Amino acid sequence: MTTVQNRRARVRGGELDDCLRACAVHSGKLVGSVDRRRIELAEQLRKLLVVVTTGDAPAAAPAAPSGAAARLKRVVKGASAPAAGIPNEVLDALLAVAGKALECGYDDELDLALVISDTVLAQRRNSRAGWRLRARLMEALGDETEAVPAYERYLGLTDSDGFGVSAKIAGLRVAGEKDQELLALLRRQCPRAERFAAGPATDVWAEGLATHAVGDWSEAEPRMVGALLALAAEQAPVADRQELLGQYLELRAARGDADLTALTEVLALYAEQRRNRMRGPVADPTIGGVQWISLGEFRNQVAGKSVCLIANSGRVGSSAMGTEIDAYDLVVRFNSYRIDEKHTGGRTDIHATIHKHGFNWDQRVTTRLVFGGISGDWKYSLRNRLVPGAQRFLGDESLRWPVRTIGRLGSDAWSGIPTTGFNMLFLLDFLDVSPTLDLIGFDFYESGAYRVPEAMKMPITSVHEYTSEKEWVMQRAQRVTDMRISLR
């Protein structure tokens, strides 16, 4: 009953000055934290301080000053928000803070994210990132009645659904329908529950648990179901309802004299609404008959073939090399690649992508390799992002994280997180079965990014060792021109 008892009114925001003060206060709360997520949040708050104090956020900001929270408070004290609204650099920094706060998931951090969300949308009513933040936050708070319209507003402001929001909306709607079907079924199976549905849910649930503890299920069940009905009527957060529903089903299933047919009917609806909240409706549970391939099978795919790897760089976007690119036997593209046939070519044979984003997963390719460092997170992303029928072959776990698992380069030998491009290049170089292995437009973002529009606002992350990757490539390069680096 912890979540029900701890529900409380949350702090809201809107004014930029107040939002910055809230960030300053929260920065002070994080001093000395050993929680990885809060440490990452503290780093984003530090970067916000840099933006507010200097008007710019360098890629490699200096170490955090000891009085960061105090300095931010001094900066915003007595200041007023610009008449034109929130500056772009402040907007980006605030969104980064909110994203990390949302990942933390604790009440204090969700409050901070809510203040930032209110402020961003008060200042920028048509901010795509702002509406997506609002939707994710409302979903985390269990308010799906507000989350769905926010997701819809986000979709209305973008031309690309790289984050799988359409499937999310569909999933939440189906889950809501299954919730109603489940409640209706419980009403039919336990008609006496209506007598208890008007009482305070917490008290009624406690009475049900106490009655069950003395062995009287006939009196316990209507109280428990009544509490579930009361929570639904007051539109309690989804997490609260799910927690109690799960407890009720566990107790019901544990009874030796349970009606298995009736219980199975309830469990089927429960599982359906949970699954739809996780990933949305799936037309084909077999994922379109995709064939898993291992390291050896992938080797056979590329053996004897000329291969080109196309960077998502500004240089490629103006290269006019489309015809040359399509002339290779295999064309490899990465993450949020953008197609402009004159410059990029039109064919994609292999899509290599990090598991954390859903850009281009719906584009039809022969082979899709999804990279990820943590096996559990990687598997979760495959279940939730893979589009049925969009690929014939899918890399299995032997291809999950080539630099670490195939090359055996640990953090002591390679401290940075390897990029998608480097993982793919390392894999092809390791296999060493392609007579031609060319990198097109790889300037390691010196010419900026060239991605699908939805991904253009994403920062070029600092967790990668671009300098080390460039050195690795140049040490193995046999020919180098302005647009092409040949390793074979």
Side-chain angles (χ1 to χ4, degrees):
M1 293 297 293
T2 302
T3 55
V4 176
Q5 292 172 341
N6 287 347
R7 287 204 311 271
R8 57 187 173 82
R10 294 190 177 273
V11 179
R12 303 302 295 250
E15 296 297 328
L16 180 56
D17 296 346
D18 295 336
C19 178
L20 292 175
R21 291 189 184 97
C23 289
V25 170
H26 203 87
S27 180
K29 294 179 181 179
L30 300 178
V31 174
S33 175
V34 296
D35 185 301
R36 177 186 59 80
R37 292 170 295 183
R38 281 179 161 156
I39 291 172
E40 292 175 354
L41 172 59
E43 172 64 11
Q44 292 303 324
L45 284 165
R46 182 185 66 80
K47 291 181 178 180
L48 173 63
L49 168 64
V50 174
V51 170
V52 174
T53 54
T54 69
D56 189 20
S66 58
R71 287 180 58 193
L72 184 52
K73 288 178 182 178
R74 289 198 299 272
V75 169
V76 300
K77 184 177 181 180
S80 58
I86 186 169
N88 290 336
E89 62 273 13
V90 176
L91 172 68
D92 292 341
L94 282 173
L95 289 170
V97 169
K100 288 300 180 183
L102 186 56
E103 288 179 15
C104 288
Y106 306 120
D107 272 342
D108 284 352
E109 279 70 32
L110 291 178
D111 282 342
L112 179 64
L114 187 57
V115 170
I116 294 174
S117 173
D118 286 346
T119 302
V120 168
L121 292 180
Q123 304 290 329
R124 297 281 189 94
R125 293 300 299 172
N126 290 324
S127 168
R128 291 178 298 180
W131 280 109
R132 181 169 175 266
L133 169 64
R134 171 59 59 87
R136 294 172 61 215
L137 179 57
M138 290 300 106
E139 187 180 359
L141 294 174
D143 188 352
E144 293 179 357
T145 59
E146 190 169 343
V148 169
Y151 275 128
E152 290 176 328
R153 183 66 182 274
Y154 162 79
L155 278 184
L157 294 168
T158 182
D159 296 325
S160 174
D161 187 14
F163 293 104
V165 171
S166 295
K168 170 65 70 176
I169 292 173
L172 291 177
R173 283 179 171 159
V174 171
E177 294 170 0
K178 297 302 177 183
D179 275 342
Q180 295 303 312
E181 291 180 32
L182 179 54
L183 291 172
L185 178 59
L186 291 176
R187 281 192 176 94
R188 294 195 301 271
Q189 292 184 353
C190 188
R192 291 179 56 213
E194 291 288 358
R195 294 171 45 192
F196 302 97
T202 301
D203 296 341
V204 173
W205 182 263
E207 291 175 8
L209 288 179
T211 308
H212 172 266
V214 299
D216 190 351
W217 179 255
S218 64
E219 290 299 322
E221 183 176 27
R223 287 171 170 79
M224 290 182 176
V225 175
L228 293 171
L229 297 176
L231 286 177
E234 66 186 51
Q235 294 186 326
V238 171
D240 292 354
R241 291 183 275 139
Q242 294 292 308
E243 180 184 345
L244 298 195
L245 180 57
Q247 291 182 29
Y248 162 71
L249 291 175
E250 285 181 9
L251 294 174
R252 181 171 169 179
R255 293 179 58 245
D257 59 344
D259 182 341
L260 293 181
T261 300
L263 177 60
T264 299
E265 193 176 0
V266 173
L267 289 174
L269 285 173
Y270 173 74
E272 186 71 6
Q273 55 91 15
R274 289 293 295 256
R275 186 186 67 77
N276 275 281
R277 282 194 170 91
M278 288 181 64
R279 67 162 295 164
V282 180
D284 184 354
T286 65
I287 318 179
V290 67
Q291 180 179 333
W292 293 89
I293 57 172
S294 64
L295 174 61
E297 291 164 325
F298 179 73
R299 177 189 183 280
N300 293 338
Q301 281 192 0
V302 301
K305 305 286 182 62
S306 61
V307 181
C308 68
L309 291 74
I310 311 301
N312 297 338
S313 68
R315 186 170 296 180
V316 168
S318 59
S319 68
M321 287 188 63
T323 301
E324 291 182 58
I325 289 171
D326 283 339
Y328 285 83
D329 295 328
L330 296 175
V331 179
V332 183
R333 302 187 195 273
F334 305 101
N335 297 315
S336 52
Y337 68 85
R338 180 176 174 181
I339 293 294
D340 178 347
E341 292 196 24
K342 175 182 176 181
H343 301 294
T344 67
R347 201 177 81 248
T348 305
D349 301 294
I350 300 172
H351 178 214
T353 181
I354 190 68
H355 76 91
K356 293 183 177 181
H357 301 305
F359 298 109
N360 291 320
W361 287 46
D362 59 341
Q363 297 302 303
R364 291 183 178 274
V365 297
T366 302
T367 301
R368 184 162 277 113
L369 300 184
V370 181
F371 298 140
I374 300 175
S375 179
D377 293 347
W378 175 78
K379 291 175 181 176
Y380 181 88
S381 292
L382 290 184
R383 288 194 299 268
N384 287 275
R385 296 188 187 279
L386 211 62
V387 177
Q391 55 280 307
R392 289 175 54 198
F393 303 101
L394 178 67
D396 69 6
E397 189 138 11
S398 68
L399 293 164
R400 173 175 59 81
W401 205 226
V403 171
R404 302 296 196 208
T405 61
I406 296 173
R408 304 296 181 185
L409 296 181
S411 56
D412 55 336
W414 195 274
S415 58
I417 298 175
T419 62
T420 302
F422 187 60
N423 267 299
M424 188 71 222
L425 177 58
F426 185 94
L427 172 61
L428 291 170
D429 182 74
F430 171 84
L431 293 174
D432 195 20
V433 292
S434 302
T436 301
L437 185 55
D438 288 349
L439 286 66
I440 306 295
F442 274 72
D443 59 10
F444 304 89
Y445 291 112
E446 291 177 4
S447 62
Y450 186 74
R451 304 164 170 163
V452 292
E454 184 62 25
M456 286 300 291
K457 293 274 289 183
M458 295 176 63
I460 297 174
T461 179
S462 60
V463 300
H464 302 303
E465 292 282 352
Y466 294 109
T467 301
S468 298
E469 293 186 4
K470 182 176 182 180
E471 290 176 355
W472 187 95
V473 168
M474 299 311 293
Q475 287 172 1
R476 290 158 177 79
Q478 296 186 10
R479 292 174 302 280
V480 178
T481 67
D482 184 54
M483 281 300 300
R484 197 185 327 253
I485 302 173
S486 299
L487 271 63
R488 298 290 186 275

